[in-house]
Amino acid sequence: MFIADNFKLVADGLLGMVPGIATNKIFIIGISAQFCSMLLKAAIKSVKTGKFTLKNMADYGGMPSSHTAFIVSSVLAIGFDPAFGWRSPLFGFSFIVALIVLVDAVKFRGNVDKINDIVGSVAPNVTMPKHIAHEIKEVVAGVVFAFVYTILFYLFFGHLFS
């Protein structure tokens, strides 16, 4: 009986996941901010190269950082949300995770770029991504994009989630 109760708990949780996600304002803001920043990244890259391709949306690096837009929009949504707010432990935790993501985008991935250069010089037949790190201006652009996007989202769509 105990296992059956646990199975029902898991099944109910899985069945409630889709409707729960569909009405989760924080999730929707984060994912939509990332998608819109990826569209903007593709548009900016298209202007630079003179050729539009959706592949540019998923390229590493680029302006603005879509990972930054995702995490910063999510953090701001938690802060703005009356159920959580700026003083909530969830906001504090998400802020720390955001800092890790921002540092990762520049520092860690920058080191990966250096390793890729070394691998490319030692084993020229191995293809490595050309550039996966973000420049600081790309991360800053992601932060600015997230602020603007999240505020506009709340102004125009916040009432849909009340």
Side-chain angles (χ1 to χ4, degrees), residues 124-142:
N125 58 339
V126 176
T127 55
M128 303 294 281
K130 297 273 187 245
H131 181 71
I132 68 168
H134 281 289
E135 296 176 20
I136 291 180
K137 66 182 179 183
E138 295 168 345
V139 171
V140 170

Side-chain angles (χ1 to χ4, degrees), residues 1-13:
M1 225 194 255
F2 182 71
I3 293 174
D5 292 339
N6 289 342
F7 181 77
K8 183 178 178 346
L9 180 70
V10 170
D12 289 346

